[in-house]
Amino acid sequence: MTSSKPAAERTRAASPGLMLAVATIGFAVNFWAWALISPLGPLFRQNGTLGTLSESDVALLVAVPVIVGSLGRIVVGALTDKVGGRVMFPIVSAVTIVPILFIAFVALDSYALLLVGGFFLGIAGTTFAVGVPFVNAWFPPERRGLAVGVFGAGMGGTAISALTTVKLYDGLGARTPFLITAAALAVYAVVAWSVLRDAPGRTAPTTSLVKRLAANARLPITWQACVLYAVAFGGYVAFSVYLPAYLKTDYGLTPADAANRMAGFVVVAVIMRPIGGWLSDKFGPIPVLAAGYAVVVAGAGVAATHPLLEHIGTIAFLGMAAALGSGSGATFALIAKVTDPARVGGVTGLVGAAGGLGGFVPPLVMGYVYGRTDSYAIGLWLLSATAALTLLLTLTIVRKTARPTLQDQRQTSEEPA
């Protein structure tokens, strides 16, 4: 009895705001690590450090961490339901340090070894499946959209990578960006272990991992949200990892200029993610999702015509950034509102995996298409068509699935206390 009392007191003393802030910082630091290779891809191709690389080689190099981080979320999300985010955040952060140091000291002059390092670097991308159930449990249903959206803004860690990696690599040495990131992860792992607490009343599931995964996969909202997130977050990830290569090849920008513009894309998407969650709390997630996919349909169609980057192209890409960010926030606002809190981690893992897979495929398609046509137009038209089909799904099947739960919550919130 006495040994458990201090832990219980610490849990009661923890505030939702503090837990959200620390979780968001952890997500940002891990996503910073997850995106370390992306800004360097075009640079490796330009300076020949890894030998002669094709566009497809660069696309594979930047996509490997994405696929691993995506599939890993399935297991990590289920483990978070079992042991809690207080344990999983520091573990994932600490484990990620190993591949970062491997890349820094072993792999920087070998394409094959960079693929190996990038494979394990993908572990950092699984933190999303840790943070969503952790944050979700700390807030009531009517505030979960905004809370999860704020946490999702931690994906701005990719902007940190975009703004700093190439500059540090060129200015202070090839190992510098990796060593700084490893140090940041080490500090965060200690802070997370010391500060984070799981929400009061959290109950760990008793069934096996396989049974929980199977049960979560059978939920209608799971596969529907997988599609929504594969397009929304997958589109964001695809642009955040491939935009530097695209801008350098198609518009002749320098690696540093392309990375800076990619950072602008990321910043807009990051800002819009919590706004998408807040709008979902206010108006419902379905209208927010529908508006976002409509903007992507138009923006990708405009970008496919290869407009001048100033100003039409910039408007098209930033418009898509805003739409993809708000759509990502709205997707998990939808999940938080219609899913049993005890199953949010498992559902998040599956949906997060779909989002990452959605980000894995487009860079490979774009590299393949460009290698055979010397144009990115077909890939962008495919994005526009995919967004159009997702818009149709949102307004029909997803709306039908979500309506009963959302109506019950609305009636409950309107009842007098």
Side-chain angles (χ1 to χ4, degrees), residues 316-333:
F317 280 109
L318 292 183
M320 285 192 287
L324 295 170
S326 65
S328 297
T331 300
F332 278 93

Side-chain angles (χ1 to χ4, degrees), residues 26-127:
F27 185 28
V29 172
N30 277 274
F31 253 43
W32 174 14
W34 195 37
L36 278 171
I37 293 179
S38 170
L40 296 175
L43 187 64
F44 289 143
R45 186 183 184 194
Q46 176 178 287
N47 61 22
T49 304
L50 306 178
T52 302
L53 301 181
S54 68
E55 187 72 8
S56 294
D57 291 333
V58 174
L60 178 62
L61 184 65
V62 302
V64 163
V66 175
I67 184 69
V68 176
S70 304
L71 294 177
R73 291 173 190 175
I74 298 174
V75 175
V76 169
L79 286 174
T80 302
D81 280 343
K82 184 72 173 179
V83 303
R86 193 261 173 179
V87 172
M88 292 301 295
F89 257 121
I91 286 179
V92 171
S93 301
V95 169
T96 301
I97 295 172
V98 177
I100 290 178
L101 295 180
F102 172 81
I103 293 173
F105 290 101
V106 179
L108 280 176
D109 58 355
S110 168
Y111 181 78
L113 291 178
L114 260 181
L115 288 177
V116 174
F119 180 91
F120 290 100
L121 188 62
I123 294 170
T126 66
T127 48

Side-chain angles (χ1 to χ4, degrees), residues 241-265:
V241 301
Y242 196 68
L243 201 56
Y246 167 80
L247 292 174
K248 179 182 178 299
T249 302
D250 216 33
Y251 286 96
L253 302 184
T254 65
D257 191 12
N260 287 338
R261 290 175 183 268
M262 185 270 273
F265 181 96

Side-chain angles (χ1 to χ4, degrees), residues 69-340:
S70 304
L71 294 177
R73 291 173 190 175
I74 298 174
V75 175
V76 169
L79 286 174
T80 302
D81 280 343
K82 184 72 173 179
V83 303
R86 193 261 173 179
V87 172
M88 292 301 295
F89 257 121
I91 286 179
V92 171
S93 301
V95 169
T96 301
I97 295 172
V98 177
I100 290 178
L101 295 180
F102 172 81
I103 293 173
F105 290 101
V106 179
L108 280 176
D109 58 355
S110 168
Y111 181 78
L113 291 178
L114 260 181
L115 288 177
V116 174
F119 180 91
F120 290 100
L121 188 62
I123 294 170
T126 66
T127 48
F128 181 74
V130 178
V132 169
F134 175 82
V135 170
N136 184 76
W138 274 102
F139 290 86
E142 65 272 13
R143 297 179 59 196
R144 285 175 183 162
L146 176 59
V148 173
V150 169
F151 168 76
M155 68 186 188
T158 55
I160 300 174
S161 179
L163 290 170
T164 63
T165 301
V166 173
K167 294 176 182 177
L168 291 171
Y169 183 95
D170 286 338
L172 297 177
R175 293 174 179 170
T176 303
F178 299 94
L179 297 180
I180 291 175
T181 309
L185 284 167
V187 171
Y188 178 75
V190 173
V191 171
W193 183 258
S194 303
V195 175
L196 289 182
R197 297 290 179 267
D198 289 310
R202 189 189 76 85
T203 56
T206 56
T207 55
S208 69
L209 175 64
V210 174
K211 288 183 178 180
R212 296 202 310 276
L213 289 175
N216 292 331
R218 287 194 295 267
L219 295 174
I221 191 59
T222 300
W223 74 261
Q224 293 167 22
C226 280
V227 175
L228 299 177
Y229 203 57
V231 178
F233 185 70
Y236 161 78
V237 170
F239 278 122
S240 68
V241 301
Y242 196 68
L243 201 56
Y246 167 80
L247 292 174
K248 179 182 178 299
T249 302
D250 216 33
Y251 286 96
L253 302 184
T254 65
D257 191 12
N260 287 338
R261 290 175 183 268
M262 185 270 273
F265 181 96
V266 169
V267 167
V268 171
V270 166
I271 292 172
M272 288 303 299
R273 183 153 185 162
I275 292 176
W278 174 74
L279 290 172
S280 296
D281 286 340
K282 191 172 182 63
F283 302 107
I286 301 300
V288 179
L289 287 164
Y293 294 125
V295 171
V296 175
V297 171
V302 170
T305 65
H306 194 270
L308 291 174
L309 195 56
E310 309 290 350
H311 297 281
I312 296 175
T314 298
I315 292 173
F317 280 109
L318 292 183
M320 285 192 287
L324 295 170
S326 65
S328 297
T331 300
F332 278 93
L334 176 66
I335 292 171
K337 291 176 185 298
V338 304
T339 308
D340 181 351

